[in-house]
């Protein structure tokens, strides 16, 4: 029961959806090569949207969410509109999508690490083994003592973000 509460909590659900979006951005960036393809560029934008606003994508669908979400900055909506008219994204625009997804994803990882830790601590206090909380972070887990891992973006919940260097 405790493990199910963890798996179905809003924080964990958002993390899982955002992870799928981030993995889609990474895969599309890799498969599109340096210049990208219309398909890979579109997949990157849809993946970014899922990282930026996983709830809207699930509720509205990808195309409608691009049009209506306030979570996706206008430049990415413009990239999508370029693709719809047959234009290609340039390597700088593709890197913009990848880097934006990466920075936002790091905030999800940080939040999930804290959430997982709290669930394990609470569960153990209630007599559940710590292992009943599934490790959903996997290879994305920050290494202990790692320095210079880049900026972490922390979503403040009101559309604003703060950045700080992880030491």
């Amino acid at each position: 029961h405790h493990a199910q509460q963890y798996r179905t909590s809003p924080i964990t659900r958002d993390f899982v959806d955002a992870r799928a979006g981030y993995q889609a951005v990474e895969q599309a960036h890799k498969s599109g090569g340096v210049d990208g393809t219309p398909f890979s560029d579109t997949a990157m934008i849809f993946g970014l949207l899922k990282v930026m606003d996983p709830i809207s994508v699930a509720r509205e669908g990808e195309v409608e969410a691009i049009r209506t979400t306030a979570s996706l900055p206008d430049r990415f909506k413009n990239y999508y509109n370029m693709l719809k008219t047959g234009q290609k994204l340039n390597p700088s625009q593709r890197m913009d999508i990848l880097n934006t997804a990466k920075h936002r994803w790091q905030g999800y990882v940080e939040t999930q690490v804290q959430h997982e830790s709290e669930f394990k601590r609470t569960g153990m206090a209630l007599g559940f083994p710590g292992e009943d909380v599934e490790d959903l972070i996997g290879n994305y887990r920050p290494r202990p003592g790692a320095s210079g891992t880049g900026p972490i973006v922390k979503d403040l919940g009101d559309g604003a973000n703060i950045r700080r260097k992880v030491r």
Side-chain angles (χ1 to χ4, degrees):
H1 182 57
H2 182 71
Q4 183 180 356
Q5 284 179 331
Y6 168 73
R7 188 81 159 108
T8 60
S9 73
I11 291 172
T12 297
R13 282 195 322 260
D14 283 353
F15 174 82
V16 169
D17 289 343
R19 180 181 63 196
Y22 180 65
Q23 289 170 338
V25 170
E26 282 187 316
Q27 181 60 36
H29 187 264
K30 182 191 269 187
S31 70
V34 175
D35 294 327
T37 66
F39 179 78
S40 67
D41 291 349
T42 302
M44 285 182 68
I45 290 176
F46 286 144
L48 174 63
L49 177 62
K50 197 163 191 172
V51 173
M52 300 297 280
D53 192 358
I55 294 170
S56 286
V57 173
R59 185 179 61 238
E60 300 169 7
E62 293 169 336
V63 174
E64 182 65 14
I66 282 180
R67 193 177 67 72
T68 61
T69 187
S71 300
L72 191 66
D74 286 341
R75 73 181 184 275
F76 300 114
K77 292 177 184 181
N78 292 337
Y79 294 171
Y80 177 70
N81 289 330
M82 287 172 52
L83 292 167
K84 283 188 351 185
T85 64
Q87 299 175 61
K88 284 183 60 171
L89 299 182
N90 65 45
S92 173
Q93 291 165 324
R94 291 172 48 77
M95 284 303 297
D96 184 23
I97 294 169
L98 180 64
N99 287 331
T100 300
K102 185 179 291 184
H103 289 305
R104 184 61 180 250
W105 168 244
Q106 289 172 335
Y108 280 103
V109 170
E110 183 179 80
T111 299
Q112 188 66 23
V113 166
Q114 293 170 355
H115 184 60
E116 179 186 280
S117 177
E118 289 169 14
F119 252 85
K120 282 184 178 181
R121 191 173 36 253
T122 303
M124 288 170 42
L126 295 172
F128 294 102
E131 304 83 50
D132 78 331
V133 174
E134 181 181 357
D135 178 8
L136 300 172
I137 301 163
N139 293 338
Y140 295 108
R141 185 176 303 281
R143 291 183 318 276
S147 65
T149 57
I152 293 289
V153 178
K154 180 71 174 174
D155 184 358
L156 300 179
D158 59 358
N161 296 313
I162 57 171
R163 293 177 190 257
R164 68 177 173 79
K165 189 77 170 176
V166 176
R167 300 203 186 280

